[in-house]
Amino acid sequence: MNAIRPIRTPVELTEAGLVGPDERAAIEAVAERYAIAISPAMAALIDRGDPQDPIARQFVPDAAELTIMPDERADPIGDLSHSPVEGIVHRYPDRVLLKAVHVCPVYCRFCFRREMVGPQGLGTLSPDAMDRAFAYIAGNPEIWEVILTGGDPLVLSPRRLTEIMERLSAIDHVKIVRFHTRVPVVEPERVDQALIAALKASSKTTYVALHANHPRELTAEARAACARLVDSGIVMISQSVLLRGVNDDPDTLAALMRAFVETRVKPYYLHHPDLAPGTSHFRLTIEEGRALVAGLRGRISGLCQPTYILDIPGGHGKAVIGPDAIQGREGCYSVSDYRGREHTYPPDR
Ligand code: SF4
């Protein structure tokens, strides 16, 4: 029988057949450190008969999370060092993150904010802190875009989201509001007309960036939730993390990007996994990632190509991990095509 509420404890994981009795002690130790939540939709998607199931790998805690590598850090992309006031991260001139909430409908085992989210995390912004965050946005006219993330902002009630949009509407220089979320995939039933109405404001353009990592996450229910958002006029883009054992093969990556495009979600970012504590079992090398992404060229439509990026540790922003397709200098370039064949540019006469 499908669960009707999220799985949150080692006992519930065992009862759901997701953790064996012999793993319980290690999972209890993981649970003391990092939050656990698997939504009913994701629990139903897990193939209990497959020990390598890519959905389980993303959400079921693993004893490997207790292994902390020397180069891992609690705040891998430097949110805290770029936070001028509580709840705001200002890394680039024209945009800020607004982190109103630090809870999620699921807790991803690879999360780069795993030390900040969950019941033991940074919590929800107080009304006073929200006032200071909006005052900061209003006082910095170069801020063109506000990105709500956290935590998952779509766990907020439509009433709270409406309040946020109304306050942003009052700030003329903010033109774009972007929500980063997993909700349409992990809790598609939450995307109803009240929630959709709350995400929109007449004077702003709303984007929703959907986080999904495996094509099986784009279920019929998830696709229908995205259709409701897109049909309402909201633009959708994707973000995924390249994860060992989840999507680190060309067929899976291609199917994921195609599933996004079929759902009217434009592939945007494919993140190289960050140096979050206890996540080394998910990480590929840059060279492995580069080879996988290069393999997408030519194999799938240009519409399906994500930008492969690295968040530079410490908060120095994003760097595109390019395919190095062109080398040389003006008048004498060597260009590789998607099959790896070299050509000169300009072409030889
Ligand atoms: S939903 Fe996002 S913020 Fe929440 S645990 Fe997953 S990756 Fe982290």
Side-chain angles (χ1 to χ4, degrees):
M1 215 164 77
N2 288 345
I4 52 168
R5 61 184 180 79
I7 295 167
R8 294 193 182 276
T9 66
V11 172
E12 289 170 348
L13 284 165
T14 312
E15 287 169 356
L18 296 171
V19 164
D22 49 330
E23 300 165 281
R24 253 300 266 295
I27 298 309
E28 296 275 3
V30 174
E32 278 175 25
R33 183 148 189 186
Y34 301 115
I36 297 169
I38 309 177
S39 64
M42 289 301 99
L45 207 54
I46 292 172
D47 178 356
R48 268 66 167 177
D50 178 3
Q52 315 294 331
D53 182 73
I55 310 300
R57 188 161 168 83
Q58 293 183 65
F59 303 118
V60 177
D62 191 305
E65 294 172 49
L66 298 171
T67 304
I68 313 294
M69 306 303 279
D71 52 2
E72 293 177 339
R73 33 180 98 185
D75 180 19
I77 71 164
D79 279 0
L80 297 178
S81 55
H82 290 78
S83 181
V85 296
E86 187 186 354
I88 294 281
V89 177
H90 199 173
R91 217 186 308 273
Y92 305 94
D94 75 337
R95 53 207 183 273
V96 291
L97 305 184
L98 172 56
K99 302 200 294 183
V101 66
H102 286 90
V103 294
C104 303
V106 288
Y107 289 105
C108 311
R109 309 323 301 168
F110 51 86
C111 176
F112 68 105
R113 295 202 176 106
R114 59 190 333 217
E115 303 274 349
M116 303 175 198
V117 297
Q120 80 286 31
L122 298 183
T124 300
L125 283 198
S126 67
D128 284 351
M130 281 296 259
D131 287 348
R132 287 191 291 275
F134 283 111
Y136 181 84
I137 296 168
N140 285 274
E142 75 276 20
I143 298 172
W144 173 80
E145 180 180 22
V146 174
I147 301 166
L148 280 111
T149 182
D152 194 318
L154 266 58
V155 301
L156 291 168
S157 67
R159 181 184 60 77
R160 297 274 318 276
L161 288 165
T162 301
E163 275 170 26
I164 289 172
M165 288 304 282
E166 282 175 352
R167 295 185 77 168
L168 292 174
S169 286
I171 305 173
D172 278 349
H173 54 263
V174 172
K175 304 297 183 193
I176 307 293
V177 182
R178 190 193 329 166
F179 293 87
H180 277 230
T181 183
R182 248 178 169 321
V183 162
V185 158
V186 304
E187 268 190 5
E189 65 281 4
R190 192 184 269 271
V191 184
D192 59 14
Q193 290 311 319
L195 180 94
I196 292 170
L199 300 180
K200 302 201 308 184
S202 58
S203 60
K204 309 295 173 206
T205 299
T206 301
Y207 278 69
V208 168
L210 175 67
H211 175 182
N213 304 307
H214 191 278
R216 270 176 45 216
E217 291 171 57
L218 277 301
T219 59
E221 292 77 16
R223 290 177 189 234
C226 293
R228 292 193 288 278
L229 287 160
V230 176
D231 286 346
S232 80
I234 290 173
V235 185
M236 290 191 74
I237 56 177
S238 78
Q239 62 167 352
S240 306
V241 187
L242 190 55
L243 296 166
R244 188 175 297 289
V246 174
N247 56 19
D248 60 331
D249 69 274
D251 288 343
T252 303
L253 265 189
L256 173 63
M257 297 304 152
R258 281 182 167 163
F260 282 136
V261 172
E262 290 162 13
T263 311
R264 293 183 284 167
V265 177
K266 174 70 187 88
Y268 180 49
Y269 277 156
L270 177 64
H271 294 263
H272 190 75
D274 294 305
L275 295 169
T279 62
S280 60
H281 52 300
F282 284 111
R283 275 200 297 282
L284 290 75
T285 65
I286 295 269
E287 279 318 307
E288 288 172 318
R290 207 198 293 261
L292 277 166
V293 173
L296 294 178
R297 287 256 155 234
R299 182 189 180 104
I300 51 174
S301 158
L303 271 180
C304 301
Q305 304 293 332
T307 302
Y308 179 35
I309 53 152
L310 174 74
D311 261 293
I312 304 169
H316 305 288
K318 292 179 171 58
V320 175
I321 308 175
D324 276 350
I326 186 158
Q327 320 234 339
R329 57 188 163 74
E330 196 57 43
C332 179
Y333 286 109
S334 172
V335 189
S336 4
D337 66 22
Y338 73 91
R339 294 191 183 91
R341 294 182 308 207
E342 296 289 323
H343 307 268
T344 56
Y345 181 86
D348 294 332
R349 289 172 193 270

